[in-house]
Amino acid sequence: MTNPPGTTTDAIREVRTATQLRDAMVQSLVKFGAAEDPRVVAAFRAVPRHLAMPEVDVTKAYDAEFAAVTKTDPTGVDISSVSAPRVQAMQIEQAQIEPGMNVLEVGSGGPNAAYLAEMVGKEGRVVTMDIDSDVTDRARTFLTATGYENVTVLTADAENGARHHAPFDRIVVTVQAADIPPAWITQLKDGGRLVVPLRMRGLTRTVAFVRDGERLVSDGFDLCGFVPMQGIGENRVQLAVLHDVEGEEVALRLDGHPEPDTRALAEALVMPRATAWSGVTLGGMESNEHLDLWLTTALDNLPLMAAKPGARKRGLVASASPLGVPTLVDGGTFAYRTVRATDAEDRFELGAIGHGPHGQQLAKRLVAEIQIWDREHRGDRARIEVDPAGTPDDRLPAGRHIERRHTRVTITWP
């Protein structure tokens, strides 16, 4: 077979390798349930995502769990990335996109806009926007190179949406948001779907909302992690540092939680541990995302504890997670969720570790809520509702209310 003019053996080999890796990525997405809709599967099989991240090894670019960081701020915080394929597929499944739709993507990068373009087809339209011109330049370059002509790239703060291109059937947000700007609701058709990584008391879930008049009502959510929103809507968590030795840092992530007594908590950190166990177990592959959402619904002062691996290695903490560990705080005492292996293969018992003068008492309190979740809510999914700020209490459902600038977010359980 004669090679096309202008091609080289290396170039052909690279295309074949990328195609094979893309097929393997898609098989992984299907296997783990991230991509179920045949049209989503086809979209992920069609887009050469590696071209959006030429600095990344092609094998890595097609790792279903790999998110490519494309920009950091002066402090080293990641502010732009190409999300992992699994997360992108998960959000697109949540959005339930149909051919011919008008879709807004908040937070650009390139590949995700291409997937959305595949979903809406030639009769549809995708608008992708980002506040950072470096990001939108990369997106334009990628979309031009890959031939997606039904995508409009905008450089603007998404706080105000894209009214000249509205109304939208779907809005897909690919950055962490602590609030929902009014424009995202008013520019969404009634009955339309907004998929957004919403941060609620420190916990981030990508939530599929359906617009019902002036409010949004959840229709499912999943655990996720995204870079934070920039611009007018920026609202980052605050860190309360308890231990600052390099490589062993321990801090609490505050998201509307009371300002803690960091000195007292730092002293508590090095006090002997008090442990309480719940008798409640999880399977090795079973997520604790619904448990954690229950805990933050039920308990008032529950920030997330972030700890570097060195802190766990040294024995300062027993649990460390990139997403943070729910931690109950009361004055100079704190207790956090933990697990231990059981005699049953691949099952772990949930418990709590307490530090400070009342460590045992606080650990038992945390364990009591774990037991309530197991007894009354295991298998349930919370409902998340977003209403405009200023909505009277008597018009909100009973539950945990989270106050933001534009909205009142309510978490309720069956």
Side-chain angles (χ1 to χ4, degrees), residues 12-79:
I12 294 171
R13 187 181 296 115
E14 180 181 344
V15 170
R16 288 175 177 169
T17 298
T19 301
Q20 293 168 349
L21 291 169
R22 190 155 58 249
D23 287 344
M25 175 194 75
V26 169
Q27 290 174 18
S28 179
L29 295 176
V30 172
K31 178 181 178 181
F32 292 104
E36 298 179 349
D37 184 334
R39 295 178 56 249
V40 175
V41 172
F44 276 75
R45 185 165 276 125
V47 176
R49 63 181 286 120
H50 69 286
L51 298 179
M53 43 191 123
E55 66 278 9
V56 174
D57 179 80
V58 66
T59 303
K60 203 71 173 171
Y62 288 106
D63 182 335
E65 298 291 345
F66 176 71
V69 175
T70 56
K71 192 170 184 178
T72 58
D73 69 12
T75 66
V77 174
D78 299 340
I79 58 173

Side-chain angles (χ1 to χ4, degrees), residues 141-155:
T141 299
F142 171 78
L143 292 164
T144 299
T146 49
Y148 288 96
E149 298 179 351
N150 61 336
V151 181
T152 300
V153 183
L154 301 178
T155 305

